[in-house]
Structure formats: C-alpha cells, structure tokens
Amino acid sequence: MDKHINELSTWLESHTGETVLIQKGELSTGLKELFDIDRVTFQLEHFSIESNEDTFDDYISSKELVLHGNGIVQITETEEEQLPQNIYEIPLNGKIVTSSNKKNLKVETENAVYDIHIQ
C-alpha cells in the first residue's frame, strides 16, 4: 500500500468517532493557488478506500477515500445545510501527498487540498 494512503488510513482510524472540520480548496490549473474553499463539519463514523478501476468514465476517480457519518456543509457565514448523503468523498487521483500530526491531516491531490482538523 502506498505510504501516503497508509498514513491517511492510520490517522483516520485513530480519530474514528470524532468530529472533524474538513476544508477543501480547489487548485487552479497550472498554479498552486487555492480557490473555492468548502467547509464541512463531519462526525466520522468510519471510512473506506474504494477502487473504481473498472470504470471508463473520466469523471469518476479510479480510487477514492469515502468518509461515512453525518456532516454539515457551510454555505455562507450564517447558512449551513446537511450533506445530502451520509458520506464525504475525496478522489485520490494521481500523486497523493499527506502530512499529519495529532490534530490535523492534510491530503494533497492533483486537483485539491484537504485540511482535516479535529474539533
């Protein structure tokens, strides 16, 4: 198993049952600047790493991290909505880089950066 996927799995296993704040920033094409930052508060019940290697659809990731639990997405400073499903998906396309400590996990993919913080 890839060392970054292993680090991601180990960190998530140690924080199952906890509430996390997920901040996702999209990467602009060709630049290292983040835009379109989403914030989700999520009660992590469990997680899985799914493989979709049989797909021929370019819009579906060949591998993804799926967080299972209840979540609330912050729409504006004062408006929140329940996630439509009890999952939060992180596509794991291309090169994945992770870094972590006791309270934080950072996952960098080709298209986005995910900062996950224990609440």
Side-chain angles (χ1 to χ4, degrees):
M1 183 184 295
D2 179 278
K3 80 171 191 160
H4 294 288
I5 300 295
N6 190 35
E7 179 180 10
L8 184 136
S9 296
T10 300
W11 192 90
L12 290 169
E13 279 178 22
S14 69
H15 295 291
T16 297
E18 296 186 55
T19 300
V20 296
L21 172 65
I22 304 166
Q23 294 186 101
K24 173 193 165 202
E26 299 280 337
L27 288 169
S28 56
T29 306
L31 302 173
K32 286 290 188 183
E33 295 180 29
L34 294 177
F35 70 99
D36 189 28
I37 296 178
D38 298 328
R39 289 176 179 82
V40 174
T41 303
F42 198 82
Q43 178 65 40
L44 179 61
E45 292 176 5
H46 66 281
F47 71 95
S48 58
I49 296 177
E50 306 289 329
S51 184
N52 302 313
E53 308 224 354
D54 296 332
T55 186
F56 298 103
D57 188 340
D58 289 338
Y59 292 102
I60 298 175
S61 177
S62 61
K63 190 179 280 188
E64 65 185 0
L65 169 65
V66 181
L67 305 179
H68 301 267
N70 294 313
I72 296 172
V73 62
Q74 186 175 349
I75 305 297
T76 66
E77 290 293 321
T78 59
E79 185 181 359
E80 297 177 336
E81 283 187 21
Q82 191 76 25
L83 285 177
Q85 299 177 2
N86 289 335
I87 60 171
Y88 185 88
E89 299 169 314
I90 298 177
L92 300 174
N93 290 334
K95 183 179 178 185
I96 307 300
V97 178
T98 58
S99 58
S100 65
N101 60 37
K102 286 185 179 183
K103 296 273 187 192
N104 304 300
L105 171 67
K106 183 175 189 174
V107 180
E108 296 180 54
T109 69
E110 286 183 346
N111 302 317
V113 175
Y114 299 84
D115 287 308
I116 304 172
H117 308 277
I118 299 300
Q119 291 291 94

